[in-house]
Amino acid sequence: MRIAIIGTGYVGLTTGACLAAIGHEVTCLDSDQSKVETLRAGRVPIFEPHIEEILEEAHDRLQFTTLYEEAIPRAQVVFIAVGTPPLPDGSPDLQYLRAAAAAIGGNLGLEFTVVVNKSTVPIGSGNWVESLIREARGKQPAEFAVASNPEFLREGSALHDSLYADRIVIGTDSPRAVDVLTNLYRPILEQSFIAPTYLARPEHLAAVPLVTTDLASAELIKYAANSFLALKISFINEIGRLAERVGADVALVAKGIGLDSRIGTRFLQAGLGWGGSCFAKDTSAVVATAADYGLAMPIVSAARLVNQQQRERVVEKLLGELKILKGKTVGLLGLAFKPNTDDLRDAPSLDIARGLLARGATVAVHDPVAMERARKEQPDLCVRYVENAEQVAEASDAVVLVTEWPQYQDIDWEAMARTARGAFLLDGRLFLDGARVAKAGWKYTRL
Ligand code: UGA
């Protein structure tokens, strides 16, 4: 099928790459000329495992453009995957969605086209997009339907999550659109495509379930899924606080409850809590949307509060250990909001660094991939960037493990303890073997 994708961020580029990989003809559009040139030159503007390989393999079926008149008229399906970043009041900024819908409306061809919202958008956006397209068309005829097809991929495993999805959700009032999108996704639904060598199909995955709904339900599914995952994390972090007081081990508690299949073991990793572009934005949108209807969302609100408190607890624990932060140096291992990405949006590291700086401490930081981006995106963050974990320790009175990069697992803690200014380690992700680190000469504590 002929597909157009508006927006080449994580969602747009991954979707484009995967749809081309399973055989469709894809045109990716971005208003940013330099991004398009980068992609045309075979380079990738985001950090995501295997994205280069899949783009290279699907090269013949992929095009990049800044022009709507090139991408839209021939497309049978148009995906909108533009950013909806939070405005200062927490509500999503819909200017890119509005612009995309209007431009699509102005360029639709005469064939039936399905316009799909893949961005996470406020409930009701499907209807809004439809009205924007109609408005842009004016009196020109067009046959189109709008659908919501929320994205559930995680950064760092975006391709895996797209090709081997847990489910595909299609929300629309048009049966014809359901047919088109079912055909589009058939190779994934039936798992009939040839798996890339670097991304093996999970054993036992024979088919991916399809959930078809109305527009509003699909839009709410996205928010409800992210809210539920967020509150699962906050729940275990709240239990973690109690565990600490009563002398229990929260990791064992998580294992003990997670093996109950009704609960499940995933998203019960206690520690610094969630960051990233999605959970904070989506839980905030849920609370704000409910407020529009006079509804409180006490559970989602509490999950947000607990998450913020986890970051503050780092500073509190350091205060407890170092007593005075003024004049001390704290080292942070990891800046990215999670491993395998250089994404710093809502990263706990930033709040922690700011909290420490505000109390007069010096902050030394290391991250295997995110330092360049941090320098660029956080010019006012007065931290010292250092080359490796060893240099973090040398400079610091205390070290906090903020992001669980696998390479931090291999650190020679004994050598580092010898050169560290203060061998106090706060493990913000409950990631390290505490006994081993303690044996290496560190005072080891978990958040
Ligand atoms: C999240 C969802 O997992 C995706 O399904 C969804 O598509 C995406 O948001 C989105 O809406 O676009 P993502 O933000 O990329 O994906 O990352 P996750 O792997 O979900 O991690 C989110 C945060 O939760 C990270 O900071 C991670 O460190 C933290 N986390 C995760 C925990 O603290 N504990 C856990 O057990 C799991």
Side-chain angles (χ1 to χ4, degrees), residues 120 151-155 222 226 229 233 267-269 273-279 282 337-338 404 429:
T120 304
E151 183 50 67
F152 302 109
L153 63 83
R154 291 162 299 170
E155 287 179 25
K222 171 68 191 191
N226 273 0
L229 292 169
I233 299 169
F267 275 70
L268 282 181
Q269 174 67 41
W274 78 72
S277 62
C278 308
F279 288 173
D282 294 353
F337 82 95
K338 66 172 188 178
E404 66 279 35
R429 293 289 177 184

Side-chain angles (χ1 to χ4, degrees), residues 181-370:
L181 294 177
T182 306
N183 280 334
L184 175 85
Y185 280 122
R186 193 174 308 283
I188 294 180
L189 293 168
E190 296 176 355
Q191 286 295 300
S192 53
F193 64 91
I194 297 170
T197 45
Y198 44 83
L199 216 62
R201 176 172 287 121
E203 251 178 81
H204 311 305
L205 180 66
V208 168
L210 172 69
V211 182
T212 51
T213 71
D214 56 281
L215 264 170
S217 299
E219 289 168 346
L220 185 52
I221 283 171
K222 171 68 191 191
Y223 282 115
N226 273 0
S227 298
F228 191 81
L229 292 169
L231 70 90
K232 218 174 159 188
I233 299 169
S234 281
F235 173 80
I236 199 65
N237 282 335
E238 187 171 283
I239 293 293
R241 295 176 194 173
L242 180 60
E244 183 183 67
R245 293 295 172 90
V246 302
D249 180 338
V250 68
L252 295 177
V253 176
K255 186 175 176 191
I257 63 172
L259 288 170
D260 182 329
S261 59
R262 291 169 302 174
I263 296 174
T265 48
R266 295 168 76 191
F267 275 70
L268 282 181
Q269 174 67 41
L272 265 166
W274 78 72
S277 62
C278 308
F279 288 173
K281 174 167 73 83
D282 294 353
T283 49
S284 159
V286 164
V287 174
T289 304
D292 288 344
Y293 292 85
L295 262 183
M297 299 292 274
I299 295 179
V300 180
S301 301
R304 289 174 56 76
L305 177 70
V306 168
N307 198 56
Q308 191 54 36
Q309 288 170 342
Q310 287 302 93
R311 299 174 184 195
E312 290 155 16
R313 287 180 77 224
V314 172
V315 179
E316 282 160 26
K317 288 214 164 188
L318 289 168
L319 271 173
E321 175 66 23
L322 301 175
K323 309 299 178 204
I324 292 168
L325 286 172
K326 235 184 221 52
K328 302 266 169 62
T329 299
V330 176
L332 304 185
L333 290 177
L335 286 170
F337 82 95
K338 66 172 188 178
N340 289 322
T341 177
D342 63 349
D343 197 336
L344 291 158
R345 285 176 286 180
D346 193 34
S349 62
L350 301 179
D351 274 355
I352 295 168
R354 292 217 169 84
L356 293 167
L357 291 167
R359 284 173 175 79
T362 300
V363 179
V365 301
H366 171 261
D367 188 285
V369 304

Side-chain angles (χ1 to χ4, degrees), residues 10-19 22 48 51 54 118 150-155 157-168 185 187-189 191 193 199 205 208:
Y10 279 100
V11 170
L13 199 55
T14 308
T15 305
C18 290
L19 290 177
I22 62 170
E48 182 63 41
I51 189 106
I54 200 163
K118 208 153 186 60
E151 183 50 67
F152 302 109
L153 63 83
R154 291 162 299 170
E155 287 179 25
S157 49
L159 297 177
H160 179 278
D161 294 348
S162 302
L163 292 173
Y164 309 125
D166 284 341
R167 76 299 205 187
I168 289 176
Y185 280 122
I188 294 180
L189 293 168
Q191 286 295 300
F193 64 91
L199 216 62
L205 180 66
V208 168

